[in-house]
Amino acid sequence: MRYLQVCEERALQQASHSVDIPHPARGLYCHSDLCHPPGKVAKVMPEDTFYFSILRHPVAMMESIFVYYKSIQAFHKTQSLDNFLDNSWKNYNSSITNNQYAHNILAFDFGFDNNVAAGAVDLEERASMAIATIEREFHLILLSEYFDESMILLKHALCWSLEDVVSFKLNSRSEQTRHPLSPNTAEKIKRWNALDWRIYLHFNTTFWHKIDSLVGQEQMKKEVYHLRELQAKLANSCLKDGGAVDPSLIKDAGLKPFQYGAAVIEGYNLNPHIDRQTKIKCQRLITPELQYTNRLYTQQFPKLAAKHQQETRAVAPQRKRSVRTDIAGIAWARKAHHRHVKKSKFSNQKSQKASTSSLLTHIEAKNQTSMT
């Protein structure tokens, strides 16, 4: 009954919404950030915002992080993941920038203290507190390993159609940079990331309970099957090569994902033989997150973005620009805008919140941007 009521309310909200944003992303704010609602995001969102997040299995996450963030201080002197895990407290220093990626990153992303050992006397208490807080402040927690099932669950929770949750996988590593882990290594990861492991186990259980209560196992199987059919059809229409390719084979620089660490991040080539409307739709689905963020910031703060680009060209006209350089510039422009907003005084607190919310340009809900 609760979800039926939510669906009815959201249908009314969408019907009366005055902002011209294409369905289904109307009113949707979605981006990589710290997930904790009481933080900065909640301050600019309406009180009835639907919060959801997605978790990844801590073992798979740790293997991926070790490859992608090999250059951080915690990892860069270790020869292998096992070597790091066998000497974790010697290699890990929580005070060094970016070392949070090496330890309980799920807890860190939700705003909790990630520096807790497996043998800590208060581990269970911390885990229970984290779980209770997440359950209280998030309406839905999804699982990366079951992404299609997660999208069907989200579809039901938000009253979307199957077409609304069709996606292509982004930020995916090539098979050559994936390393299978032994059961012994997996157990060491669970122990090192003991807080993450407890959080994940709990929400893995609630995920399947949610499916049973909201969708049903048989209906879920049917909808996942149809979703994958739609994805295959869209891939055949959108993609030149029918799927992801090595970054060296991507023709359009605007579609080439940023490469970092030892990972080889694959991307897509757009089918050149599609009409303009289809091209726009397909580009939104396959544009990497840095380029997409660049585009959004430019739309949100056009004057600041243009000013920064002019200054950059004036200072270094011969320097070859990169996606990373552009995104850093747009981030600078955004910070400048926020400094300006903080100095401004609004006579009405509600109008301030509405104004800020209107600045949050939507990101297509169809884009899957998880690091794999």
Side-chain angles (χ1 to χ4, degrees):
M1 292 299 293
R2 175 181 176 275
Y3 281 97
L4 178 60
Q5 181 181 1
V6 169
C7 286
E8 291 174 347
E9 290 174 353
R10 291 187 184 282
L12 290 172
Q13 289 171 1
Q14 289 180 353
S16 62
H17 209 292
S18 61
V19 180
D20 185 19
I21 297 177
H23 177 77
R26 181 178 290 119
L28 175 67
Y29 173 70
C30 176
H31 202 271
S32 301
D33 203 347
L34 293 182
C35 303
H36 211 38
K40 296 179 181 178
V41 174
K43 293 179 181 179
V44 298
M45 298 302 289
E47 293 182 0
D48 63 346
T49 296
F50 184 95
Y51 288 101
F52 67 95
S53 187
I54 187 164
L55 306 183
R56 188 177 181 185
H57 195 293
V59 173
M61 175 71 85
M62 190 68 180
E63 186 275 329
S64 176
I65 285 176
F66 185 78
V67 174
Y68 197 83
Y69 290 107
K70 188 64 172 67
S71 62
I72 67 173
Q73 185 275 337
F75 294 150
H76 80 276
K77 289 184 179 180
T78 58
Q79 299 300 313
S80 67
L81 180 53
D82 274 302
N83 179 251
F84 168 78
L85 293 167
D86 291 338
N87 302 278
S88 51
W89 286 112
K90 294 180 181 179
N91 294 315
Y92 177 76
N93 184 337
S94 63
S95 65
I96 296 178
T97 303
N98 292 329
N99 268 4
Q100 73 272 7
Y101 290 109
H103 195 207
N104 288 315
I105 186 62
L106 291 181
F108 178 85
D109 279 347
F110 278 105
F112 304 109
D113 182 4
N114 61 317
N115 294 304
V116 54
V121 294
D122 62 344
L123 172 61
E124 299 303 333
E125 181 183 353
R126 288 197 192 192
S128 297
M129 181 195 71
I131 289 167
T133 302
I134 295 169
E135 284 191 322
R136 182 174 66 250
E137 296 172 343
F138 285 82
H139 299 89
L140 187 62
I141 298 295
L142 308 173
L143 299 179
S144 176
E145 288 73 32
Y146 300 96
F147 192 82
D148 290 339
E149 289 84 353
S150 291
M151 291 301 98
I152 297 300
L153 196 56
L154 186 64
K155 160 188 170 293
H156 280 265
L158 294 178
C159 315
W160 289 350
S161 70
L162 202 61
E163 288 76 13
D164 293 335
V165 293
V166 175
S167 66
F168 293 140
K169 184 181 289 187
L170 300 180
N171 281 4
S172 181
R173 283 181 295 154
S174 65
E175 289 300 324
Q176 69 194 62
T177 58
R178 296 176 185 270
H179 305 287
L181 302 177
S182 70
N184 183 50
T185 302
E187 290 305 313
K188 285 191 285 188
I189 291 173
K190 293 174 187 177
R191 180 171 175 78
W192 170 242
N193 293 317
L195 182 55
D196 278 2
W197 181 235
R198 282 157 176 75
I199 292 172
Y200 182 85
L201 282 178
H202 176 85
F203 287 105
N204 182 290
T205 300
T206 61
F207 176 80
W208 297 107
H209 287 167
K210 211 76 148 180
I211 287 177
D212 288 337
S213 62
L214 187 58
V215 184
Q217 294 288 342
E218 290 304 313
Q219 182 63 23
M220 174 61 75
K221 291 178 181 177
K222 292 178 183 178
E223 293 197 38
V224 166
Y225 176 80
H226 291 307
L227 175 61
R228 290 171 180 171
E229 275 192 327
L230 285 174
Q231 288 174 166
K233 181 179 179 181
L234 193 61
N236 186 58
S237 173
C238 288
L239 308 178
K240 179 183 177 182
D241 306 291
V245 298
D246 187 271
S248 65
L249 300 176
I250 299 173
K251 308 300 181 183
D252 184 348
L255 297 177
K256 185 174 293 187
F258 179 69
Q259 305 296 310
Y260 190 74
V264 176
I265 309 300
E266 297 180 322
Y268 301 94
N269 282 315
L270 196 64
N271 180 1
H273 307 296
I274 51 178
D275 60 74
R276 184 177 179 276
Q277 186 174 358
T278 304
K279 180 180 179 180
I280 293 173
K281 177 182 179 180
C282 294
Q283 278 183 322
R284 287 175 175 171
L285 288 170
I286 66 175
T287 299
E289 58 182 322
L290 288 183
Q291 290 93 318
Y292 212 122
T293 303
N294 193 345
R295 170 190 168 192
L296 291 174
Y297 287 168
T298 300
Q299 290 180 350
Q300 189 169 343
F301 311 114
K303 293 182 179 179
L304 288 170
K307 179 181 178 181
H308 177 75
Q309 289 172 358
Q310 290 176 357
E311 292 174 348
T312 302
R313 281 195 291 267
V315 172
Q318 302 302 320
R319 185 178 65 183
K320 184 177 180 180
R321 295 183 62 79
S322 66
V323 171
R324 197 71 172 183
T325 301
D326 286 339
I327 204 66
I330 300 301
W332 170 87
R334 180 182 60 164
K335 289 179 180 178
H337 170 81
H338 286 304
R339 286 196 296 270
H340 173 73
V341 169
K342 287 181 179 179
K343 291 179 181 178
S344 302
K345 292 184 179 180
F346 295 87
S347 58
N348 187 296
Q349 183 68 23
K350 290 185 179 180
S351 66
Q352 176 185 354
K353 179 174 287 189
S355 175
T356 308
S357 296
S358 68
L359 289 172
L360 297 173
T361 311
H362 81 284
I363 295 180
E364 297 299 326
K366 302 180 181 71
N367 268 22
Q368 177 186 356
T369 56
S370 62
M371 183 185 65
T372 59

